[in-house]
Amino acid sequence: SSMLHKGDTMNIVIARPLVSAGEKIGALPGELGDKIDPYLKPIKKNLIHFLGPFFGQYTNLKQIHCEALELMRGETYNDSIILLDEAQNCTKEQIVMLVTRMGQNSKVLINGDVKQYDIRNSGLMQVIHEVDGVPGIGISELGKSDIQRNGILASFLEAVENDN
């Protein structure tokens, strides 16, 4: 968001796969926007939290917009930051498709937790291993000490992950 304020980038595009956690929820009623909104809602809530009143301004100007990953084929995003959220729920092919949407003066950020996938053939770890060491590509691994939601979560995760 500070890049928008400074004029370092023109757009932020946030993509997310249309994958639900656990059981299938079936067909959702309404138009396309109504159907994909529940999947994009967490992204929008986080943007509102961090941007406050600027969220409405940037979305009205179409400088920030959320996309369903499955609907991005054929797009090119110039002068943009493209963020793929929940990438652990993507196949390798979907990640490659997203990265190849990157146009001039753009960057791609991929975010995902390899321990929380909801699909069988998550491609996130495969892509991480394949691009590790490629010039111009950085990989950052976050641990329990990086949790921002609530301090108790690190202790909770320690307890449930060590209970074999």
Side-chain angles (χ1 to χ4, degrees):
S1 67
S2 66
M3 294 180 78
L4 283 175
H5 286 312
K6 293 182 204 171
D8 292 340
T9 192
M10 293 300 297
N11 302 294
I12 296 177
V13 180
I14 302 169
R16 196 168 201 208
L18 300 180
V19 175
S20 60
E23 295 296 318
K24 300 265 186 239
I25 58 174
L28 296 173
E31 300 293 321
L32 179 62
D34 299 323
K35 293 175 186 296
I36 66 174
D37 191 56
Y39 296 97
L40 302 176
K41 186 177 174 182
I43 296 170
K44 291 177 183 177
K45 285 177 71 174
N46 280 329
L47 288 171
I48 291 167
H49 173 77
F50 288 110
L51 294 174
F54 291 108
F55 173 76
Q57 175 185 340
Y58 289 135
T59 54
N60 288 340
L61 295 171
K62 305 278 190 231
Q63 287 182 280
I64 293 179
H65 50 100
C66 301
E67 302 279 345
L69 175 66
E70 292 81 354
L71 303 175
M72 295 179 75
R73 186 169 303 285
E75 294 284 353
T76 300
Y77 297 101
N78 295 306
D79 303 309
S80 298
I81 301 293
I82 306 161
L83 171 64
L84 174 57
D85 188 41
E86 299 288 337
Q88 76 275 6
N89 289 324
C90 297
T91 64
K92 175 185 173 182
E93 293 77 16
Q94 287 176 312
I95 295 171
V96 170
M97 184 275 296
L98 175 103
V99 172
T100 59
R101 304 304 92 212
M102 181 174 41
Q104 296 297 315
N105 303 312
S106 294
K107 293 182 181 186
V108 173
L109 305 171
I110 299 173
N111 171 38
D113 185 340
V114 295
K115 294 180 181 178
Q116 292 188 9
Y117 56 90
D118 295 307
I119 65 170
R120 280 205 170 143
N121 297 313
S122 174
L124 181 58
M125 279 305 294
Q126 184 179 356
V127 170
I128 289 170
H129 289 306
E130 290 174 358
V131 301
D132 192 17
V134 173
I137 296 177
I139 298 171
S140 297
E141 187 174 335
L142 303 177
K144 290 178 186 73
S145 63
D146 297 302
I147 294 173
Q148 297 290 308
R149 285 185 177 154
N150 188 314
I152 194 70
L153 293 177
S155 299
F156 171 79
L157 290 172
E158 272 305 314
V160 298
E161 289 174 357
N162 291 327
D163 186 61
N164 294 327

